């Protein structure tokens, strides 16, 4: 029944004296084993002037260890039929592997070797720097990518720990040296604040024992304890008037549009209200904005609003795109509908639909080995606990019209002071947006 | 090791009107996925109506007799579900992921649109605009899309694979309501559909409901013949695109076998050896060692008719495309000229096997795989012995298929050069 909370599979959590949290989840069925190491090494930890260092360091881990060169690291991992997954979010750096069940021990050894014993050879660091700069350059060809980079850079603003894309900027990457990667690894690849998760067929107790056995073999490889200074999370700067930034993309026949306003951190006690209010506005295929922009007017193929919820701050973001000639129409409709919604909140029907939509689909987000490990690990690391997942359905279903209305006003991306970002050909964009709000044109390269 | 049929207790049925049904119960989570695979894609089109399969996919969400405009997704989402669809060269697939208690509603929604889809001019015009935006997004303003479109037109002269699934812009603009209605009557009949239900349901009850809702829909007439001919390629073909990009790019394609031919499995392994994982040959040589590319990857998908083995290179800014191309041909020549080591072949087999297992780890993934096997290989059971079939492939097979597929006269190459088109 949709009204019932979801029962998590059998699992065990153990926090070691070192500060490392172990998570073991039993998942019967397919003979697969998944391991994920989450480290307190997210993009928010990038030192000032070194945007992208977390991402750079995590990507370098696989380019050779103290035991074997890069090519042999690849062979060690991929001969198991696995591909090493690395991901750097704002909060954490994660490494993960999924292998056939019988290779669980080998997978753990491979993951720990890569995470704990990187060589950071000078030649590999230099090559990685060239590759990263080329990739950042190349990413400018994708308008949606540029828009995404602009959302975090401009939405949080310079100086904020979340105020740069995880991949960093070319000007910063260009300065990365071996010592930067060594230092980042030594201070952020710490057991304190890290989580090692295993998902597989054995019982949680058996999985925990396997993790402990393997960790004992790698105990001496962890960097020594290190104290990091606390990050400064200041409030997002208030902006009183809406403004527009047009990022010039030559020859684009379509404009990417983002409307950005401050949102909420993931730890907000009003999490359920926020996701319900956002879903009714711009989630799924039948939201207010999808109806107004796509279904009724055919202005775009894709319309959404999304809450970027990080641990200590967040953004509320409207996303869409349309041909250059209908840019103004799309922006006007989006602003009008979002302002109306901020005043009225969802209708009773829309509220009910959003609640059941979120509750009904929730179990699908916990289905694969990878999703189970990631969702549970994130809930624990964000300090939300298992209850965040267990009670998700009932919390979502309990959101009232009044709560949703309050949240609609608080989270609307169309508030005064919102930021409109357009990636497209600048001349038609300027014409289309003329008279709407103060506007500046920026060059694509500024966002590389 | 083959996958065991006892882990996949698929119930098979066919209704009197030809509707093929595959049911796979799994009570581990309170969710279901329903897929409706229709055997129609851009392969069934003709010049003038290219893109109609995809446009039609959009039209399927615009109302039917019982559930009017906007009702399909509204009812579904209100019951805790979501839907989507995709169109390929060969088929069109619709799916719903949903809380299991919504099963009766989902079956009713799907059966209703198969029985009585409504197509009116106003909704067609709106959906046409949406599809044009999708085309601008995926093709006109996207380098991979531009290259892919040009490669199809280069590699195929006669076969419908020569036009893009999304269709030419001028055709999208011109497709009429009458053509859509004819398309629906022809291809959206129950005897052209495979229904796959996976998840938390009771088999007998689900079957009764399917029979009640779909049983009365009339079977369609036979399907029109498809122009599947294609003359042999007698020389290398090339095309150039000029676009104000940051860096050059290249997409090469070699015509290969159809998905049902055993050699397609060998090409799956070659794909893995060349581009799956960071240690794959193309990544190692072109990205890491020679530093010519930001990314190099291979895309080989089974198709109903002989399809394309595609290799995409995203070059580093400033790299001479000729140099990158030369490095690519050298790597392909190695596959043809040298016997692949057992170690490397095992690596490829393990990667392909793991990919198959992972695709079966979700409800949606299992439903999609069952349906895809039915429409591409004729039976869902094909997935059970796939691991064994890959395991029996020898290094000599890899060399034989590489020699057959990659000779220079079979190359089709599209290069994107940064810059404006000269007026």
């Amino acid at each position: 029944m949709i009204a019932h909370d979801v029962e998590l599979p059998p699992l065990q959590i153990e926090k070691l004296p070192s500060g490392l949290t172990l998570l073991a989840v039993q998942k019967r069925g397919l003979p697969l084993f998944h391991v994920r190491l989450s480290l307190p090494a997210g993009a928010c930890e990038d030192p000032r002037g070194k945007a992208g260092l977390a991402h750079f360091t995590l990507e370098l881990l696989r380019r050779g260890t103290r035991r074997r060169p890069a090519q042999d690291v690849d062979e060690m991992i991929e001969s198991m039929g696995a591909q090493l997954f690395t991901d750097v979010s704002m909060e954490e750096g994660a490494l993960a592997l999924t292998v056939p069940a019988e290779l669980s021990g080998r997978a753990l050894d491979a993951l720990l070797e890569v995470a704990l014993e990187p060589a950071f050879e000078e030649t590999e660091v230099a090559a990685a720097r060239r590759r990263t700069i080329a990739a950042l350059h190349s990413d400018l060809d994708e308008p949606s990518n540029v828009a995404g980079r602009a959302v975090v850079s401009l939405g949080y603003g310079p100086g904020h720990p979340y105020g740069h894309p995880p991949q960093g900027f070319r000007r910063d990457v260009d300065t990365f040296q071996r010592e930067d990667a060594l230092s980042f690894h030594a201070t952020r690849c710490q057991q304190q604040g890290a989580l090692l998760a295993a998902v597989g067929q054995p019982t949680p107790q058996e999985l925990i024992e396997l993790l402990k056995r393997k960790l004992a073999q790698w105990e001496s490889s962890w960097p020594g304890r290190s104290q990091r200074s606390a990050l400064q999370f200041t409030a997002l700067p208030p902006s009183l008037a809406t403004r527009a930034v047009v990022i010039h993309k030559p020859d684009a026949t379509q404009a990417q549009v983002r409307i950005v306003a401050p949102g909420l951190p993931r730890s907000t006690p009003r999490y359920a209200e926020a996701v319900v209010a956002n879903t009714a506005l711009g989630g799924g295929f039948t939201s207010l904005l999808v109806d107004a922009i796509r279904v009724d007017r055919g202005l775009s193929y894709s319309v959404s609003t999304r809450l970027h919820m990080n641990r200590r701050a967040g953004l509320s973001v409207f996303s869409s795109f349309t041909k250059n000639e209908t840019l103004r129409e799309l922006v006007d409709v989006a602003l009008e509908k979002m302002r109306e919604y901020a005043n009225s909140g969802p209708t009773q029907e829309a509220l009910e639909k959003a609640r059941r939509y979120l509750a009904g689909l929730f179990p699908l987000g916990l289905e694969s080995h990878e999703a189970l490990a990631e969702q549970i690990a994130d809930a624990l690391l964000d300090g939300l606990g298992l209850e965040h997942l267990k009670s998700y359905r009932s919390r979502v279903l309990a959101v009232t019209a009044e709560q949703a209305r309050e949240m609609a006003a608080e989270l609307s991306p169309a508030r005064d002071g919102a930021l409109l970002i357009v990636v497209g050909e600048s001349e038609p964009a300027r014409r289309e947006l003329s008279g709407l709000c103060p506007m500046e044109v920026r060059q694509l390269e500024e966002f590389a | 090791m083959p996958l065991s049929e006892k882990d996949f207790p698929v119930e098979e049925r066919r209704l009197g009107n030809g509707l093929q049904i595959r049911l796979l119960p799994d009570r581990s989570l309170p969710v279901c996925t329903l897929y409706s695979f229709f055997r129609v894609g851009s392969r069934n089109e003709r010049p003038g109506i290219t893109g109609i399969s995809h446009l039609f996919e959009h039209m399927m969400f615009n109302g039917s007799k019982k559930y009017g405009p906007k009702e399909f997704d509204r009812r579904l989402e209100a019951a805790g579900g979501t839907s989507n669809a995709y169109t390929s060269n060969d088929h069109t697939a619709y799916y719903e992921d949903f809380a299991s208690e919504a099963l009766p509603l989902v079956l009713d929604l799907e059966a209703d649109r198969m029985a009585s889809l409504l197509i009116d001019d106003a909704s067609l015009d709106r959906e046409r605009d949406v599809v044009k935006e999708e085309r601008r997004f995926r093709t006109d303003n996207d380098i991979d899309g531009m290259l892919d479109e040009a490669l199809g037109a280069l590699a195929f002269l006669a076969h419908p694979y020569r036009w893009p699934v999304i269709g030419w812009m001028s055709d999208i603009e011109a497709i009429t309501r009458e053509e859509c209605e004819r398309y629906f009557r022809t291809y959206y009949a129950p005897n052209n559909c495979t229904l796959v239900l996976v998840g938390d349901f009771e088999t007998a009850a689900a079957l009764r409901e399917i029979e009640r809702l779909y049983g009365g829909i009339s079977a369609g007439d036979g399907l029109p013949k498809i122009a599947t001919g294609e003359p042999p390629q007698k020389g290398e073909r090339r095309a150039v695109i000029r676009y104000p990009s940051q860096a050059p790019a290249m997409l090469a394609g070699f015509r290969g076998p159809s998905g049902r031919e055993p050699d397609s499995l060998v090409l799956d392994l070659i794909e893995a050896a060349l581009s799956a994982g960071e240690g794959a040959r193309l990544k190692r040589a072109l990205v890491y060692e020679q530093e010519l590319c930001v990314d190099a990857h291979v895309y080989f998908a089974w198709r109903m008719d002989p399809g394309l083995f595609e290799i995409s290179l995203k070059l580093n800014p400033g790299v001479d495309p000729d140099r990158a191309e030369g490095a690519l041909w050298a790597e392909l020549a190695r596959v043809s000229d040298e016997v692949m080591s057992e170690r490397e072949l095992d690596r490829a087999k393990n990667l392909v096997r793991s990919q198959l297992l992972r695709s079966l780890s979700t409800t949606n993934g299992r439903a999609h795989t069952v349906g895809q096997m039915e429409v591409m290989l004729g039976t869902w059971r094909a997935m059970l012995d796939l691991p064994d079939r890959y395991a029996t492939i020898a290094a000599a097979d890899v060399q034989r298929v590489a020699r057959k597929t990659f000779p220079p006269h079979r190359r089709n190459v599209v290069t994107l050069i940064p810059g404006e088109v000269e007026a």
Side-chain angles (χ1 to χ4, degrees):
Chain A
M1 288 290 285
I2 210 168
H4 291 178
D5 273 323
V6 169
E7 207 173 306
L8 293 175
L11 60 86
Q12 191 171 328
I13 299 162
E14 189 171 330
K15 186 151 187 176
L16 303 180
S18 63
L20 175 67
T21 301
L22 302 184
L23 165 67
V25 185
Q26 184 176 33
K27 182 168 169 57
R28 297 189 181 88
L30 287 172
L32 289 170
F33 173 81
H34 175 73
V35 56
R36 176 187 178 93
L37 177 63
S38 303
L39 296 163
C44 69
E45 300 281 349
D46 288 337
R48 192 168 286 268
K50 298 281 181 187
L53 184 59
H55 184 266
F56 185 81
T57 306
L58 265 281
E59 288 295 320
L60 256 177
L61 294 179
R62 66 176 310 144
R63 300 304 300 162
T65 68
R66 299 203 291 266
R67 297 172 191 235
R68 66 197 89 218
Q71 199 167 321
D72 292 358
V73 171
D74 292 335
E75 170 74 18
M76 169 174 72
I77 292 166
E78 290 159 10
S79 64
M80 293 187 280
Q83 296 193 43
L84 181 68
F85 167 85
T86 56
D87 180 50
V88 175
S89 65
M90 285 297 175
E91 239 70 63
E92 65 172 29
L95 299 170
L97 279 175
T98 304
V99 298
E102 67 272 19
L103 301 179
S104 57
R106 272 174 64 188
L108 273 163
D109 281 332
L111 189 88
L112 291 169
E113 180 182 327
V114 168
L116 304 181
E117 295 191 349
F120 295 130
E121 296 263 359
E122 199 75 66
T123 50
E124 287 291 350
V125 174
R129 196 169 53 231
R130 291 192 295 273
R131 274 199 309 276
T132 308
I133 290 172
L136 286 168
H137 205 99
S138 178
D139 283 351
L140 297 179
D141 281 330
E142 211 170 299
S144 58
N145 195 315
V146 177
R149 293 173 64 81
V151 163
V152 288
S153 306
L154 303 174
Y156 289 109
H160 193 284
Y162 296 148
H164 61 272
Q167 295 78 8
F169 297 111
R170 272 189 299 184
R171 56 181 179 273
D172 291 355
V173 174
D174 203 30
T175 70
F176 291 173
Q177 302 297 325
R178 177 169 191 261
E179 291 66 35
D180 294 313
L182 277 170
S183 160
F184 189 88
H185 182 260
T187 53
R188 271 74 173 187
C189 186
Q190 292 278 317
Q191 300 196 58
Q192 183 65 43
L195 186 148
L196 183 63
V199 183
Q201 292 178 316
T203 64
Q205 182 59 39
E206 288 166 336
L207 288 169
I208 290 277
E209 283 164 15
L210 172 68
L211 292 179
K212 284 184 173 174
R213 225 171 28 246
K214 285 296 172 191
L215 282 168
Q217 292 167 17
W218 291 91
E219 182 58 39
S220 62
S221 299
W222 286 91
R225 272 178 183 269
S226 162
Q227 288 294 324
R228 287 172 295 143
S229 48
L231 297 169
Q232 297 300 313
F233 283 89
T234 51
L236 297 183
S239 173
L240 299 177
T242 303
R243 66 191 173 101
V245 173
V246 174
I247 303 168
H248 177 52
K249 172 95 173 69
D251 249 22
T253 59
Q254 190 175 55
Q256 287 282 338
V257 180
R258 305 288 183 273
I259 303 173
V260 187
L264 290 170
R266 192 163 181 238
S267 57
T268 173
R270 294 179 297 156
Y271 179 86
E273 293 98 301
V275 295
V276 168
N278 178 67
T279 299
L281 174 64
F285 282 125
T286 62
S287 67
L288 179 70
L289 290 171
V290 170
D291 250 13
I293 291 171
R294 174 174 161 153
V295 181
D296 293 344
R297 293 175 177 81
L299 286 172
S300 184
Y301 169 66
S302 173
V303 186
S304 67
T305 54
R306 205 176 141 215
L307 300 175
H308 293 227
M309 288 174 140
N310 293 308
R311 206 172 284 166
R312 280 156 289 193
L315 296 174
S316 181
V317 183
F318 163 88
S319 301
S320 190
F321 51 77
T322 192
K323 60 185 176 295
N324 293 342
E325 298 79 4
T326 47
L327 171 60
R328 181 58 178 268
E329 186 181 356
L330 181 136
V331 170
D332 282 348
V333 173
L335 288 174
E336 181 196 332
K337 293 291 171 188
M338 289 195 287
R339 283 173 181 149
E340 283 173 14
Y341 185 74
N343 287 330
S344 65
T347 62
Q348 191 57 41
E349 187 203 346
L351 172 66
E352 179 63 21
K353 178 162 60 67
R355 290 189 302 212
R356 292 183 63 83
Y357 171 77
L358 289 165
L361 294 178
F362 180 67
L364 291 169
L366 293 168
E367 207 180 359
S368 68
H369 291 67
E370 293 83 358
L372 265 174
E374 183 179 354
Q375 292 284 329
I376 299 175
D378 283 354
L380 295 174
L381 290 169
D382 285 349
L384 305 171
L386 294 179
E387 205 47 35
H388 181 72
L389 303 173
K390 285 180 178 170
S391 65
Y392 178 91
R393 278 181 148 186
S394 51
R395 285 185 294 133
V396 157
L397 289 169
V399 172
T400 65
E402 184 56 31
Q403 289 170 325
R405 197 159 39 245
E406 280 175 20
M407 200 49 87
E410 192 173 331
L411 287 178
S412 171
R415 276 168 284 166
D416 285 341
L419 171 66
L420 168 63
I421 296 170
V422 174
V423 181
E425 180 86 58
S426 62
E427 267 320 298
R430 278 159 72 115
R431 274 198 307 275
E432 285 283 306
L433 299 178
S434 166
L436 180 72
C437 62
M439 182 191 337
E440 62 174 316
V441 175
R442 308 269 292 261
Q443 296 306 307
L444 204 55
E445 287 70 24
E446 293 176 52
F447 293 89
Chain B
M1 194 170 67
L3 296 168
S4 164
E5 192 162 345
K6 96 177 151 42
D7 293 327
F8 297 93
V10 175
E11 191 78 25
E12 301 180 41
R13 287 285 193 282
R14 188 184 284 277
L15 298 188
N17 56 16
L19 179 71
Q20 192 179 45
I21 303 160
R22 301 291 178 259
L23 305 178
L24 175 55
D26 173 0
R27 316 304 285 260
S28 57
L29 283 174
V31 291
C32 294
T33 295
L34 178 72
Y35 262 93
S36 306
F37 278 86
F38 290 90
R39 290 170 175 77
V40 59
S42 62
R43 169 179 183 265
N44 302 81
E45 298 166 354
R46 58 174 169 76
I49 60 164
T50 67
I52 193 171
S53 308
H54 173 257
L55 175 61
F56 200 82
E57 173 213 313
H58 281 239
M59 292 303 295
M60 284 286 279
F61 294 88
N62 281 314
S64 47
K65 194 171 171 186
K66 181 173 175 186
Y67 299 100
K70 297 187 180 183
E71 283 300 298
F72 187 95
D73 279 312
R74 186 158 293 177
R75 296 284 190 119
L76 179 63
E77 290 188 0
T82 188
S83 77
N84 212 332
Y86 71 84
T87 307
S88 77
N89 301 88
D90 300 309
H91 62 262
T92 309
Y94 300 81
Y95 71 82
E96 293 83 31
D97 293 324
F98 51 96
S100 42
E101 67 202 66
L103 178 59
L105 170 72
V106 173
L107 290 171
D108 199 29
L109 286 165
E110 277 293 5
D112 188 51
R113 65 179 177 178
M114 185 193 275
S116 61
L117 189 75
L118 300 177
I119 305 172
D120 64 68
D121 288 322
S123 65
L124 176 61
D125 284 343
R126 274 195 307 272
E127 216 52 65
R128 194 195 311 278
D129 284 342
V130 171
V131 169
K132 284 163 69 179
E133 286 300 340
E134 185 178 356
R135 196 195 136 85
R136 287 184 192 101
F137 176 66
R138 294 194 196 280
T139 306
D140 300 343
N141 292 278
D142 182 83
I143 287 174
D144 290 335
M146 281 177 224
L147 289 167
D148 193 56
E149 181 168 280
L151 182 67
L154 192 66
F156 296 100
L157 301 179
H159 193 281
Y161 289 161
R162 76 177 265 104
W163 53 79
V165 171
I166 200 160
W168 301 113
M169 193 64 110
S170 53
D171 287 352
I172 298 170
E173 284 167 351
I175 290 165
T176 65
R177 180 168 56 85
E178 290 72 26
E179 282 161 339
C180 284
E181 285 168 346
R182 199 174 312 127
Y183 211 74
F184 177 65
R185 283 196 302 274
T186 307
Y187 294 109
Y188 278 72
N191 47 325
N192 200 34
C193 178
T194 297
L195 205 64
V196 185
L197 177 63
V198 175
D200 177 26
F201 60 87
E202 202 269 304
T203 303
L207 271 173
R208 276 197 304 276
E209 196 64 0
I210 292 170
E211 187 141 22
R212 182 178 76 80
L213 293 165
Y214 285 85
I217 304 172
S218 303
D221 298 333
L223 300 178
K225 201 168 170 345
I226 299 168
T228 55
E230 181 64 31
Q233 185 171 341
K234 293 180 176 168
E236 180 180 292
R237 298 175 191 165
R238 309 187 72 90
V240 172
I241 295 172
R242 289 195 182 274
Y243 184 72
S245 64
Q246 302 292 318
M250 197 188 116
L251 185 65
F254 296 85
R255 275 162 42 200
S258 73
R260 291 190 185 206
E261 293 174 65
D263 282 356
S264 64
L265 300 188
V266 182
L267 284 171
D268 287 341
L269 295 186
I270 295 175
E271 176 186 6
L274 288 175
S275 89
E278 299 305 295
R281 287 187 182 198
L282 291 183
K283 295 260 178 72
R284 203 167 63 220
L286 276 66
V287 176
Y288 290 109
E289 291 173 1
Q290 300 176 49
E291 296 189 26
L292 296 169
C293 299
V294 171
D295 190 28
H297 74 265
V298 173
Y299 179 73
F300 175 65
W302 300 347
R303 290 197 193 172
M304 296 295 286
D305 301 319
L308 272 185
F309 185 94
E310 300 179 25
I311 304 157
S312 159
L313 303 184
K314 196 183 274 188
L315 274 55
N316 285 355
V319 165
D320 177 359
D322 288 346
R323 228 182 113 208
E325 199 182 317
L328 170 63
W329 303 148
E331 285 302 319
L332 288 187
R334 277 185 58 216
V335 187
S336 302
D337 298 345
E338 300 168 15
V339 177
M340 190 176 280
S341 71
E342 283 304 315
R343 195 181 175 87
E344 189 176 8
L345 189 57
D346 282 346
R347 172 191 176 278
K349 288 175 181 175
N350 290 340
L351 283 164
V352 169
R353 178 174 178 260
S354 291
Q355 192 181 14
L356 175 66
L357 280 181
R358 282 201 301 275
S359 75
L360 296 171
S361 71
T362 63
T363 307
N364 188 300
R366 284 190 289 281
H368 184 259
T369 305
V370 166
Q372 197 187 29
M373 293 292 160
E374 286 288 351
V375 296
M376 292 305 301
L377 301 185
T379 167
W380 69 271
R381 283 196 171 74
M383 77 182 194
L384 298 176
D385 61 5
L386 264 183
D388 271 358
R389 293 182 65 198
Y390 285 118
T392 59
I393 292 170
D397 296 317
V398 171
Q399 195 171 23
R400 174 183 57 77
V401 172
R403 283 180 173 167
K404 191 162 118 186
T405 310
F406 304 135
H409 75 271
R410 293 172 62 97
R411 290 175 189 159
N412 298 278
V413 186
V414 185
T415 309
L416 182 137
I417 308 285
E420 309 279 342
V421 179
E422 287 172 23

